[in-house]
Amino acid sequence: MSCRHCVMAVTRALENIEGITDVSVDLQKGEASFTETASVDGTVIKREIENAGYEVE
């Protein structure tokens, strides 16, 4: 991620997953944090971020 557009794209990808709220993306750290209101499989999170065009480490 290198710009505000990237932050918004990852934020939107995460917010579209049912059970995830309060998404925060730190551009400098390249990290995202969020609250799970329901259990969400990590593979779903990874897939949605990758579908948005970004890598998950």
Side-chain angles (χ1 to χ4, degrees):
M1 294 188 300
S2 59
C3 67
R4 189 80 187 135
H5 172 77
C6 301
V7 170
M8 292 304 297
V10 172
T11 299
R12 259 186 267 128
L14 290 171
E15 288 178 338
N16 285 333
I17 300 171
E18 187 173 329
I20 290 183
T21 62
D22 303 324
V23 176
S24 176
V25 176
D26 186 318
L27 182 61
Q28 285 190 317
K29 292 181 180 178
E31 297 177 352
S33 60
F34 49 83
T35 300
E36 285 188 40
T37 58
S39 180
V40 178
D41 189 325
T43 58
V44 171
I45 296 168
K46 182 178 180 194
R47 182 187 65 224
E48 291 302 316
I49 292 173
E50 288 176 344
N51 284 345
Y54 301 93
E55 291 182 24
V56 177
E57 295 179 7

mmCIF file of all heavy atoms in Angstrom:
data_model
loop_
_atom_site.group_PDB
_atom_site.id
_atom_site.type_symbol
_atom_site.label_atom_id
_atom_site.label_comp_id
_atom_site.label_asym_id
_atom_site.label_seq_id
_atom_site.Cartn_x
_atom_site.Cartn_y
_atom_site.Cartn_z
ATOM 1 N N MET A 1 0.843 -1.163 0.000
ATOM 2 C CA MET A 1 0.000 0.000 0.000
ATOM 3 C C MET A 1 0.891 1.229 0.000
ATOM 4 O O MET A 1 1.874 1.284 0.718
ATOM 5 C CB MET A 1 -0.888 0.023 1.246
ATOM 6 C CG MET A 1 -1.895 -1.079 1.296
ATOM 7 S SD MET A 1 -3.070 -0.894 2.649
ATOM 8 C CE MET A 1 -2.004 -0.911 4.050
ATOM 9 N N SER A 2 0.508 2.190 -0.806
ATOM 10 C CA SER A 2 1.361 3.358 -0.904
ATOM 11 C C SER A 2 0.610 4.690 -0.896
ATOM 12 O O SER A 2 1.239 5.734 -0.930
ATOM 13 C CB SER A 2 2.202 3.264 -2.175
ATOM 14 O OG SER A 2 1.362 3.190 -3.302
ATOM 15 N N CYS A 3 -0.720 4.644 -0.853
ATOM 16 C CA CYS A 3 -1.447 5.913 -0.909
ATOM 17 C C CYS A 3 -2.808 5.786 -0.226
ATOM 18 O O CYS A 3 -3.217 4.720 0.189
ATOM 19 C CB CYS A 3 -1.632 6.339 -2.355
ATOM 20 S SG CYS A 3 -2.721 5.246 -3.291
ATOM 21 N N ARG A 4 -3.463 6.910 -0.146
ATOM 22 C CA ARG A 4 -4.787 6.962 0.488
ATOM 23 C C ARG A 4 -5.794 6.082 -0.263
ATOM 24 O O ARG A 4 -6.672 5.488 0.349
ATOM 25 C CB ARG A 4 -5.260 8.418 0.525
ATOM 26 C CG ARG A 4 -6.480 8.626 1.317
ATOM 27 C CD ARG A 4 -6.155 8.686 2.794
ATOM 28 N NE ARG A 4 -7.423 8.716 3.518
ATOM 29 C CZ ARG A 4 -7.667 7.984 4.582
ATOM 30 N NH1 ARG A 4 -6.755 7.200 5.078
ATOM 31 N NH2 ARG A 4 -8.819 8.050 5.181
ATOM 32 N N HIS A 5 -5.653 5.989 -1.577
ATOM 33 C CA HIS A 5 -6.540 5.135 -2.363
ATOM 34 C C HIS A 5 -6.411 3.676 -1.913
ATOM 35 O O HIS A 5 -7.404 2.964 -1.807
ATOM 36 C CB HIS A 5 -6.215 5.248 -3.856
ATOM 37 C CG HIS A 5 -6.960 4.272 -4.701
ATOM 38 N ND1 HIS A 5 -8.281 4.431 -5.027
ATOM 39 C CD2 HIS A 5 -6.582 3.098 -5.240
ATOM 40 C CE1 HIS A 5 -8.677 3.397 -5.751
ATOM 41 N NE2 HIS A 5 -7.661 2.579 -5.893
ATOM 42 N N CYS A 6 -5.178 3.252 -1.657
ATOM 43 C CA CYS A 6 -4.939 1.880 -1.195
ATOM 44 C C CYS A 6 -5.633 1.645 0.144
ATOM 45 O O CYS A 6 -6.259 0.600 0.361
ATOM 46 C CB CYS A 6 -3.442 1.616 -1.047
ATOM 47 S SG CYS A 6 -2.487 1.845 -2.548
ATOM 48 N N VAL A 7 -5.511 2.600 1.044
ATOM 49 C CA VAL A 7 -6.145 2.486 2.359
ATOM 50 C C VAL A 7 -7.652 2.333 2.193
ATOM 51 O O VAL A 7 -8.275 1.467 2.820
ATOM 52 C CB VAL A 7 -5.811 3.722 3.234
ATOM 53 C CG1 VAL A 7 -6.646 3.735 4.498
ATOM 54 C CG2 VAL A 7 -4.321 3.737 3.573
ATOM 55 N N MET A 8 -8.233 3.146 1.346
ATOM 56 C CA MET A 8 -9.685 3.085 1.137
ATOM 57 C C MET A 8 -10.102 1.758 0.506
ATOM 58 O O MET A 8 -11.119 1.185 0.872
ATOM 59 C CB MET A 8 -10.149 4.257 0.262
ATOM 60 C CG MET A 8 -10.015 5.601 0.949
ATOM 61 S SD MET A 8 -10.872 5.716 2.548
ATOM 62 C CE MET A 8 -12.545 5.476 2.034
ATOM 63 N N ALA A 9 -9.313 1.252 -0.440
ATOM 64 C CA ALA A 9 -9.654 -0.014 -1.101
ATOM 65 C C ALA A 9 -9.625 -1.175 -0.110
ATOM 66 O O ALA A 9 -10.529 -2.022 -0.101
ATOM 67 C CB ALA A 9 -8.690 -0.269 -2.260
ATOM 68 N N VAL A 10 -8.600 -1.212 0.735
ATOM 69 C CA VAL A 10 -8.506 -2.295 1.730
ATOM 70 C C VAL A 10 -9.602 -2.142 2.782
ATOM 71 O O VAL A 10 -10.228 -3.125 3.188
ATOM 72 C CB VAL A 10 -7.102 -2.320 2.372
ATOM 73 C CG1 VAL A 10 -7.058 -3.300 3.536
ATOM 74 C CG2 VAL A 10 -6.051 -2.680 1.330
ATOM 75 N N THR A 11 -9.851 -0.907 3.188
ATOM 76 C CA THR A 11 -10.920 -0.661 4.172
ATOM 77 C C THR A 11 -12.256 -1.140 3.630
ATOM 78 O O THR A 11 -12.996 -1.851 4.313
ATOM 79 C CB THR A 11 -10.994 0.846 4.525
ATOM 80 O OG1 THR A 11 -9.746 1.245 5.087
ATOM 81 C CG2 THR A 11 -12.117 1.127 5.509
ATOM 82 N N ARG A 12 -12.555 -0.782 2.399
ATOM 83 C CA ARG A 12 -13.822 -1.210 1.790
ATOM 84 C C ARG A 12 -13.906 -2.731 1.682
ATOM 85 O O ARG A 12 -14.948 -3.328 1.946
ATOM 86 C CB ARG A 12 -13.996 -0.585 0.407
ATOM 87 C CG ARG A 12 -14.922 0.600 0.423
ATOM 88 C CD ARG A 12 -15.209 1.135 -0.952
ATOM 89 N NE ARG A 12 -14.215 2.193 -1.156
ATOM 90 C CZ ARG A 12 -13.412 2.312 -2.192
ATOM 91 N NH1 ARG A 12 -13.504 1.509 -3.195
ATOM 92 N NH2 ARG A 12 -12.550 3.270 -2.275
ATOM 93 N N ALA A 13 -12.808 -3.359 1.276
ATOM 94 C CA ALA A 13 -12.796 -4.825 1.140
ATOM 95 C C ALA A 13 -13.119 -5.489 2.475
ATOM 96 O O ALA A 13 -13.909 -6.436 2.526
ATOM 97 C CB ALA A 13 -11.433 -5.284 0.618
ATOM 98 N N LEU A 14 -12.525 -4.960 3.544
ATOM 99 C CA LEU A 14 -12.767 -5.552 4.865
ATOM 100 C C LEU A 14 -14.173 -5.240 5.367
ATOM 101 O O LEU A 14 -14.829 -6.094 5.966
ATOM 102 C CB LEU A 14 -11.718 -5.053 5.862
ATOM 103 C CG LEU A 14 -10.305 -5.588 5.618
ATOM 104 C CD1 LEU A 14 -9.304 -4.879 6.518
ATOM 105 C CD2 LEU A 14 -10.246 -7.098 5.845
ATOM 106 N N GLU A 15 -14.640 -4.018 5.140
ATOM 107 C CA GLU A 15 -15.977 -3.638 5.609
ATOM 108 C C GLU A 15 -17.085 -4.418 4.908
ATOM 109 O O GLU A 15 -18.184 -4.535 5.447
ATOM 110 C CB GLU A 15 -16.193 -2.134 5.414
ATOM 111 C CG GLU A 15 -15.395 -1.294 6.378
ATOM 112 C CD GLU A 15 -15.561 0.199 6.160
ATOM 113 O OE1 GLU A 15 -15.940 0.630 5.052
ATOM 114 O OE2 GLU A 15 -15.275 0.940 7.111
ATOM 115 N N ASN A 16 -16.791 -4.955 3.735
ATOM 116 C CA ASN A 16 -17.800 -5.729 3.008
ATOM 117 C C ASN A 16 -17.922 -7.163 3.517
ATOM 118 O O ASN A 16 -18.813 -7.894 3.080
ATOM 119 C CB ASN A 16 -17.485 -5.745 1.508
ATOM 120 C CG ASN A 16 -17.817 -4.415 0.863
ATOM 121 O OD1 ASN A 16 -18.681 -3.694 1.330
ATOM 122 N ND2 ASN A 16 -17.103 -4.091 -0.198
ATOM 123 N N ILE A 17 -17.049 -7.564 4.424
ATOM 124 C CA ILE A 17 -17.120 -8.914 4.982
ATOM 125 C C ILE A 17 -18.080 -8.905 6.173
ATOM 126 O O ILE A 17 -17.902 -8.123 7.114
ATOM 127 C CB ILE A 17 -15.724 -9.393 5.439
ATOM 128 C CG1 ILE A 17 -14.759 -9.415 4.259
ATOM 129 C CG2 ILE A 17 -15.830 -10.774 6.078
ATOM 130 C CD1 ILE A 17 -13.306 -9.666 4.654
ATOM 131 N N GLU A 18 -19.073 -9.765 6.120
ATOM 132 C CA GLU A 18 -20.033 -9.860 7.215
ATOM 133 C C GLU A 18 -19.307 -10.301 8.487
ATOM 134 O O GLU A 18 -18.548 -11.273 8.470
ATOM 135 C CB GLU A 18 -21.135 -10.854 6.858
ATOM 136 C CG GLU A 18 -22.249 -10.870 7.879
ATOM 137 C CD GLU A 18 -23.414 -11.730 7.418
ATOM 138 O OE1 GLU A 18 -23.658 -11.822 6.208
ATOM 139 O OE2 GLU A 18 -24.054 -12.315 8.299
ATOM 140 N N GLY A 19 -19.523 -9.573 9.559
ATOM 141 C CA GLY A 19 -18.900 -9.915 10.835
ATOM 142 C C GLY A 19 -17.688 -9.067 11.155
ATOM 143 O O GLY A 19 -17.077 -9.229 12.204
ATOM 144 N N ILE A 20 -17.321 -8.151 10.258
ATOM 145 C CA ILE A 20 -16.185 -7.263 10.497
ATOM 146 C C ILE A 20 -16.669 -5.818 10.552
ATOM 147 O O ILE A 20 -17.406 -5.370 9.677
ATOM 148 C CB ILE A 20 -15.099 -7.426 9.413
ATOM 149 C CG1 ILE A 20 -14.417 -8.779 9.588
ATOM 150 C CG2 ILE A 20 -14.080 -6.290 9.468
ATOM 151 C CD1 ILE A 20 -13.275 -9.043 8.643
ATOM 152 N N THR A 21 -16.240 -5.109 11.614
ATOM 153 C CA THR A 21 -16.587 -3.695 11.776
ATOM 154 C C THR A 21 -15.342 -2.950 12.267
ATOM 155 O O THR A 21 -14.315 -3.565 12.566
ATOM 156 C CB THR A 21 -17.705 -3.494 12.817
ATOM 157 O OG1 THR A 21 -17.250 -3.961 14.084
ATOM 158 C CG2 THR A 21 -18.978 -4.212 12.417
ATOM 159 N N ASP A 22 -15.479 -1.651 12.392
ATOM 160 C CA ASP A 22 -14.419 -0.804 12.965
ATOM 161 C C ASP A 22 -13.066 -1.028 12.302
ATOM 162 O O ASP A 22 -12.053 -1.219 12.965
ATOM 163 C CB ASP A 22 -14.294 -1.025 14.473
ATOM 164 C CG ASP A 22 -15.583 -0.761 15.211
ATOM 165 O OD1 ASP A 22 -16.303 0.168 14.801
ATOM 166 O OD2 ASP A 22 -15.856 -1.478 16.178
ATOM 167 N N VAL A 23 -13.041 -0.991 10.989
ATOM 168 C CA VAL A 23 -11.804 -1.227 10.233
ATOM 169 C C VAL A 23 -10.902 0.005 10.297
ATOM 170 O O VAL A 23 -11.360 1.133 10.134
ATOM 171 C CB VAL A 23 -12.118 -1.553 8.758
ATOM 172 C CG1 VAL A 23 -10.839 -1.695 7.946
ATOM 173 C CG2 VAL A 23 -12.968 -2.810 8.669
ATOM 174 N N SER A 24 -9.638 -0.247 10.548
ATOM 175 C CA SER A 24 -8.635 0.820 10.545
ATOM 176 C C SER A 24 -7.412 0.300 9.796
ATOM 177 O O SER A 24 -6.921 -0.788 10.073
ATOM 178 C CB SER A 24 -8.258 1.187 11.982
ATOM 179 O OG SER A 24 -7.223 2.142 11.976
ATOM 180 N N VAL A 25 -6.942 1.070 8.828
ATOM 181 C CA VAL A 25 -5.783 0.661 8.036
ATOM 182 C C VAL A 25 -4.666 1.674 8.255
ATOM 183 O O VAL A 25 -4.868 2.873 8.091
ATOM 184 C CB VAL A 25 -6.136 0.567 6.537
ATOM 185 C CG1 VAL A 25 -4.902 0.233 5.712
ATOM 186 C CG2 VAL A 25 -7.239 -0.469 6.323
ATOM 187 N N ASP A 26 -3.497 1.173 8.667
ATOM 188 C CA ASP A 26 -2.325 2.015 8.909
ATOM 189 C C ASP A 26 -1.413 1.932 7.693
ATOM 190 O O ASP A 26 -0.767 0.904 7.456
ATOM 191 C CB ASP A 26 -1.591 1.538 10.161
ATOM 192 C CG ASP A 26 -0.455 2.466 10.555
ATOM 193 O OD1 ASP A 26 0.296 2.939 9.665
ATOM 194 O OD2 ASP A 26 -0.305 2.709 11.763
ATOM 195 N N LEU A 27 -1.357 3.001 6.923
ATOM 196 C CA LEU A 27 -0.579 3.032 5.684
ATOM 197 C C LEU A 27 0.910 2.842 5.951
ATOM 198 O O LEU A 27 1.583 2.077 5.261
ATOM 199 C CB LEU A 27 -0.826 4.357 4.959
ATOM 200 C CG LEU A 27 -0.131 4.541 3.622
ATOM 201 C CD1 LEU A 27 -0.590 3.489 2.624
ATOM 202 C CD2 LEU A 27 -0.426 5.928 3.077
ATOM 203 N N GLN A 28 1.448 3.508 6.944
ATOM 204 C CA GLN A 28 2.885 3.415 7.225
ATOM 205 C C GLN A 28 3.304 2.017 7.652
ATOM 206 O O GLN A 28 4.360 1.533 7.256
ATOM 207 C CB GLN A 28 3.284 4.423 8.293
ATOM 208 C CG GLN A 28 3.334 5.850 7.783
ATOM 209 C CD GLN A 28 3.967 6.780 8.787
ATOM 210 O OE1 GLN A 28 3.684 6.692 9.965
ATOM 211 N NE2 GLN A 28 4.829 7.642 8.298
ATOM 212 N N LYS A 29 2.502 1.371 8.468
ATOM 213 C CA LYS A 29 2.826 0.023 8.937
ATOM 214 C C LYS A 29 2.394 -1.049 7.941
ATOM 215 O O LYS A 29 2.852 -2.181 8.013
ATOM 216 C CB LYS A 29 2.154 -0.251 10.281
ATOM 217 C CG LYS A 29 2.704 0.576 11.417
ATOM 218 C CD LYS A 29 2.011 0.224 12.708
ATOM 219 C CE LYS A 29 2.549 1.043 13.863
ATOM 220 N NZ LYS A 29 1.836 0.733 15.125
ATOM 221 N N GLY A 30 1.477 -0.698 7.050
ATOM 222 C CA GLY A 30 0.953 -1.681 6.120
ATOM 223 C C GLY A 30 0.102 -2.715 6.826
ATOM 224 O O GLY A 30 0.072 -3.885 6.449
ATOM 225 N N GLU A 31 -0.618 -2.261 7.852
ATOM 226 C CA GLU A 31 -1.432 -3.168 8.666
ATOM 227 C C GLU A 31 -2.881 -2.701 8.726
ATOM 228 O O GLU A 31 -3.164 -1.513 8.619
ATOM 229 C CB GLU A 31 -0.894 -3.230 10.096
ATOM 230 C CG GLU A 31 0.499 -3.787 10.207
ATOM 231 C CD GLU A 31 1.028 -3.765 11.636
ATOM 232 O OE1 GLU A 31 0.390 -3.182 12.521
ATOM 233 O OE2 GLU A 31 2.094 -4.348 11.839
ATOM 234 N N ALA A 32 -3.757 -3.671 8.924
ATOM 235 C CA ALA A 32 -5.164 -3.363 9.118
ATOM 236 C C ALA A 32 -5.613 -3.986 10.432
ATOM 237 O O ALA A 32 -5.172 -5.076 10.790
ATOM 238 C CB ALA A 32 -5.997 -3.924 7.976
ATOM 239 N N SER A 33 -6.472 -3.278 11.134
ATOM 240 C CA SER A 33 -7.071 -3.828 12.340
ATOM 241 C C SER A 33 -8.577 -3.674 12.221
ATOM 242 O O SER A 33 -9.074 -2.822 11.482
ATOM 243 C CB SER A 33 -6.545 -3.130 13.594
ATOM 244 O OG SER A 33 -6.841 -1.764 13.559
ATOM 245 N N PHE A 34 -9.308 -4.540 12.936
ATOM 246 C CA PHE A 34 -10.765 -4.522 12.852
ATOM 247 C C PHE A 34 -11.336 -5.293 14.020
ATOM 248 O O PHE A 34 -10.622 -5.999 14.725
ATOM 249 C CB PHE A 34 -11.250 -5.139 11.524
ATOM 250 C CG PHE A 34 -10.619 -6.462 11.209
ATOM 251 C CD1 PHE A 34 -11.116 -7.627 11.746
ATOM 252 C CD2 PHE A 34 -9.493 -6.525 10.390
ATOM 253 C CE1 PHE A 34 -10.520 -8.847 11.457
ATOM 254 C CE2 PHE A 34 -8.891 -7.735 10.097
ATOM 255 C CZ PHE A 34 -9.411 -8.898 10.632
ATOM 256 N N THR A 35 -12.631 -5.144 14.204
ATOM 257 C CA THR A 35 -13.351 -5.889 15.225
ATOM 258 C C THR A 35 -14.202 -6.949 14.548
ATOM 259 O O THR A 35 -14.854 -6.668 13.549
ATOM 260 C CB THR A 35 -14.273 -4.936 16.025
ATOM 261 O OG1 THR A 35 -13.461 -3.935 16.626
ATOM 262 C CG2 THR A 35 -15.051 -5.688 17.084
ATOM 263 N N GLU A 36 -14.161 -8.154 15.097
ATOM 264 C CA GLU A 36 -15.015 -9.230 14.587
ATOM 265 C C GLU A 36 -16.239 -9.332 15.484
ATOM 266 O O GLU A 36 -16.116 -9.578 16.675
ATOM 267 C CB GLU A 36 -14.276 -10.566 14.579
ATOM 268 C CG GLU A 36 -13.268 -10.697 13.483
ATOM 269 C CD GLU A 36 -12.702 -12.114 13.393
ATOM 270 O OE1 GLU A 36 -13.461 -13.086 13.548
ATOM 271 O OE2 GLU A 36 -11.494 -12.218 13.185
ATOM 272 N N THR A 37 -17.418 -9.109 14.899
ATOM 273 C CA THR A 37 -18.661 -9.272 15.649
ATOM 274 C C THR A 37 -19.181 -10.690 15.517
ATOM 275 O O THR A 37 -20.100 -11.084 16.221
ATOM 276 C CB THR A 37 -19.736 -8.287 15.158
ATOM 277 O OG1 THR A 37 -19.963 -8.508 13.766
ATOM 278 C CG2 THR A 37 -19.293 -6.843 15.384
ATOM 279 N N ALA A 38 -18.597 -11.432 14.601
ATOM 280 C CA ALA A 38 -18.877 -12.848 14.405
ATOM 281 C C ALA A 38 -17.577 -13.476 13.909
ATOM 282 O O ALA A 38 -16.726 -12.778 13.356
ATOM 283 C CB ALA A 38 -19.990 -13.049 13.380
ATOM 284 N N SER A 39 -17.428 -14.744 14.118
ATOM 285 C CA SER A 39 -16.207 -15.416 13.679
ATOM 286 C C SER A 39 -16.080 -15.355 12.156
ATOM 287 O O SER A 39 -17.028 -15.669 11.440
ATOM 288 C CB SER A 39 -16.226 -16.874 14.136
ATOM 289 O OG SER A 39 -15.049 -17.522 13.724
ATOM 290 N N VAL A 40 -14.912 -14.916 11.690
ATOM 291 C CA VAL A 40 -14.659 -14.822 10.253
ATOM 292 C C VAL A 40 -13.409 -15.640 9.941
ATOM 293 O O VAL A 40 -12.368 -15.468 10.568
ATOM 294 C CB VAL A 40 -14.443 -13.356 9.814
ATOM 295 C CG1 VAL A 40 -14.144 -13.279 8.331
ATOM 296 C CG2 VAL A 40 -15.648 -12.507 10.171
ATOM 297 N N ASP A 41 -13.523 -16.533 8.987
ATOM 298 C CA ASP A 41 -12.397 -17.376 8.566
ATOM 299 C C ASP A 41 -11.295 -16.487 7.978
ATOM 300 O O ASP A 41 -11.569 -15.626 7.144
ATOM 301 C CB ASP A 41 -12.891 -18.373 7.524
ATOM 302 C CG ASP A 41 -11.853 -19.439 7.187
ATOM 303 O OD1 ASP A 41 -10.638 -19.133 7.180
ATOM 304 O OD2 ASP A 41 -12.268 -20.578 6.938
ATOM 305 N N GLY A 42 -10.064 -16.716 8.408
ATOM 306 C CA GLY A 42 -8.941 -15.938 7.918
ATOM 307 C C GLY A 42 -8.759 -16.019 6.417
ATOM 308 O O GLY A 42 -8.284 -15.069 5.791
ATOM 309 N N THR A 43 -9.155 -17.143 5.825
ATOM 310 C CA THR A 43 -9.014 -17.271 4.367
ATOM 311 C C THR A 43 -9.968 -16.321 3.643
ATOM 312 O O THR A 43 -9.659 -15.854 2.557
ATOM 313 C CB THR A 43 -9.260 -18.712 3.892
ATOM 314 O OG1 THR A 43 -10.565 -19.129 4.284
ATOM 315 C CG2 THR A 43 -8.216 -19.666 4.460
ATOM 316 N N VAL A 44 -11.105 -16.028 4.250
ATOM 317 C CA VAL A 44 -12.055 -15.073 3.655
ATOM 318 C C VAL A 44 -11.450 -13.677 3.669
ATOM 319 O O VAL A 44 -11.506 -12.951 2.673
ATOM 320 C CB VAL A 44 -13.403 -15.091 4.411
ATOM 321 C CG1 VAL A 44 -14.308 -13.961 3.935
ATOM 322 C CG2 VAL A 44 -14.078 -16.442 4.265
ATOM 323 N N ILE A 45 -10.847 -13.312 4.787
ATOM 324 C CA ILE A 45 -10.223 -11.997 4.902
ATOM 325 C C ILE A 45 -9.102 -11.858 3.885
ATOM 326 O O ILE A 45 -9.019 -10.873 3.152
ATOM 327 C CB ILE A 45 -9.702 -11.791 6.341
ATOM 328 C CG1 ILE A 45 -10.876 -11.778 7.316
ATOM 329 C CG2 ILE A 45 -8.872 -10.511 6.435
ATOM 330 C CD1 ILE A 45 -10.474 -11.877 8.767
ATOM 331 N N LYS A 46 -8.246 -12.878 3.823
ATOM 332 C CA LYS A 46 -7.127 -12.857 2.874
ATOM 333 C C LYS A 46 -7.632 -12.753 1.438
ATOM 334 O O LYS A 46 -7.136 -11.942 0.650
ATOM 335 C CB LYS A 46 -6.283 -14.124 3.044
ATOM 336 C CG LYS A 46 -5.087 -14.157 2.138
ATOM 337 C CD LYS A 46 -4.257 -15.398 2.361
ATOM 338 C CE LYS A 46 -3.066 -15.346 1.402
ATOM 339 N NZ LYS A 46 -2.386 -16.585 1.281
ATOM 340 N N ARG A 47 -8.636 -13.540 1.094
ATOM 341 C CA ARG A 47 -9.170 -13.537 -0.268
ATOM 342 C C ARG A 47 -9.730 -12.174 -0.650
ATOM 343 O O ARG A 47 -9.479 -11.670 -1.747
ATOM 344 C CB ARG A 47 -10.257 -14.601 -0.404
ATOM 345 C CG ARG A 47 -10.829 -14.705 -1.818
ATOM 346 C CD ARG A 47 -12.015 -15.625 -1.919
ATOM 347 N NE ARG A 47 -13.111 -15.072 -1.157
ATOM 348 C CZ ARG A 47 -13.897 -15.779 -0.349
ATOM 349 N NH1 ARG A 47 -13.728 -17.063 -0.207
ATOM 350 N NH2 ARG A 47 -14.875 -15.205 0.319
ATOM 351 N N GLU A 48 -10.467 -11.546 0.252
ATOM 352 C CA GLU A 48 -11.068 -10.249 -0.061
ATOM 353 C C GLU A 48 -10.008 -9.166 -0.261
ATOM 354 O O GLU A 48 -10.136 -8.323 -1.146
ATOM 355 C CB GLU A 48 -12.055 -9.846 1.034
ATOM 356 C CG GLU A 48 -13.295 -10.715 1.065
ATOM 357 C CD GLU A 48 -14.055 -10.717 -0.254
ATOM 358 O OE1 GLU A 48 -14.230 -9.646 -0.845
ATOM 359 O OE2 GLU A 48 -14.470 -11.802 -0.692
ATOM 360 N N ILE A 49 -8.962 -9.203 0.558
ATOM 361 C CA ILE A 49 -7.883 -8.213 0.393
ATOM 362 C C ILE A 49 -7.135 -8.466 -0.911
ATOM 363 O O ILE A 49 -6.826 -7.533 -1.652
ATOM 364 C CB ILE A 49 -6.932 -8.244 1.607
ATOM 365 C CG1 ILE A 49 -7.665 -7.735 2.848
ATOM 366 C CG2 ILE A 49 -5.686 -7.396 1.334
ATOM 367 C CD1 ILE A 49 -6.887 -7.888 4.133
ATOM 368 N N GLU A 50 -6.876 -9.720 -1.222
ATOM 369 C CA GLU A 50 -6.190 -10.043 -2.473
ATOM 370 C C GLU A 50 -7.061 -9.688 -3.676
ATOM 371 O O GLU A 50 -6.540 -9.218 -4.693
ATOM 372 C CB GLU A 50 -5.793 -11.516 -2.487
ATOM 373 C CG GLU A 50 -4.648 -11.802 -1.526
ATOM 374 C CD GLU A 50 -4.279 -13.268 -1.415
ATOM 375 O OE1 GLU A 50 -5.071 -14.143 -1.833
ATOM 376 O OE2 GLU A 50 -3.199 -13.537 -0.880
ATOM 377 N N ASN A 51 -8.362 -9.905 -3.565
ATOM 378 C CA ASN A 51 -9.270 -9.533 -4.657
ATOM 379 C C ASN A 51 -9.283 -8.021 -4.893
ATOM 380 O O ASN A 51 -9.560 -7.568 -6.005
ATOM 381 C CB ASN A 51 -10.688 -10.027 -4.372
ATOM 382 C CG ASN A 51 -10.839 -11.516 -4.591
ATOM 383 O OD1 ASN A 51 -9.994 -12.155 -5.214
ATOM 384 N ND2 ASN A 51 -11.893 -12.089 -4.046
ATOM 385 N N ALA A 52 -8.979 -7.270 -3.844
ATOM 386 C CA ALA A 52 -8.891 -5.815 -3.980
ATOM 387 C C ALA A 52 -7.571 -5.399 -4.616
ATOM 388 O O ALA A 52 -7.376 -4.234 -4.946
ATOM 389 C CB ALA A 52 -9.055 -5.142 -2.614
ATOM 390 N N GLY A 53 -6.653 -6.373 -4.765
ATOM 391 C CA GLY A 53 -5.396 -6.092 -5.451
ATOM 392 C C GLY A 53 -4.180 -5.936 -4.551
ATOM 393 O O GLY A 53 -3.156 -5.403 -4.989
ATOM 394 N N TYR A 54 -4.262 -6.434 -3.315
ATOM 395 C CA TYR A 54 -3.165 -6.252 -2.371
ATOM 396 C C TYR A 54 -2.713 -7.593 -1.800
ATOM 397 O O TYR A 54 -3.482 -8.551 -1.763
ATOM 398 C CB TYR A 54 -3.591 -5.307 -1.241
ATOM 399 C CG TYR A 54 -3.989 -3.973 -1.794
ATOM 400 C CD1 TYR A 54 -5.315 -3.706 -2.103
ATOM 401 C CD2 TYR A 54 -3.023 -3.029 -2.094
ATOM 402 C CE1 TYR A 54 -5.676 -2.496 -2.681
ATOM 403 C CE2 TYR A 54 -3.377 -1.820 -2.657
ATOM 404 C CZ TYR A 54 -4.704 -1.562 -2.951
ATOM 405 O OH TYR A 54 -5.051 -0.377 -3.532
ATOM 406 N N GLU A 55 -1.456 -7.645 -1.355
ATOM 407 C CA GLU A 55 -0.886 -8.860 -0.783
ATOM 408 C C GLU A 55 -1.192 -8.936 0.708
ATOM 409 O O GLU A 55 -1.289 -7.919 1.376
ATOM 410 C CB GLU A 55 0.632 -8.884 -0.947
ATOM 411 C CG GLU A 55 1.088 -9.058 -2.360
ATOM 412 C CD GLU A 55 2.610 -9.114 -2.439
ATOM 413 O OE1 GLU A 55 3.263 -9.467 -1.447
ATOM 414 O OE2 GLU A 55 3.130 -8.783 -3.504
ATOM 415 N N VAL A 56 -1.298 -10.161 1.198
ATOM 416 C CA VAL A 56 -1.443 -10.406 2.630
ATOM 417 C C VAL A 56 -0.259 -11.242 3.060
ATOM 418 O O VAL A 56 0.018 -12.283 2.482
ATOM 419 C CB VAL A 56 -2.749 -11.168 2.938
ATOM 420 C CG1 VAL A 56 -2.841 -11.480 4.423
ATOM 421 C CG2 VAL A 56 -3.947 -10.369 2.456
ATOM 422 N N GLU A 57 0.473 -10.746 4.061
ATOM 423 C CA GLU A 57 1.643 -11.489 4.554
ATOM 424 C C GLU A 57 1.286 -12.283 5.771
ATOM 425 O O GLU A 57 0.438 -11.980 6.524
ATOM 426 C CB GLU A 57 2.783 -10.525 4.884
ATOM 427 C CG GLU A 57 3.289 -9.829 3.655
ATOM 428 C CD GLU A 57 4.407 -8.847 3.960
ATOM 429 O OE1 GLU A 57 4.883 -8.797 5.104
ATOM 430 O OE2 GLU A 57 4.793 -8.136 3.039
#
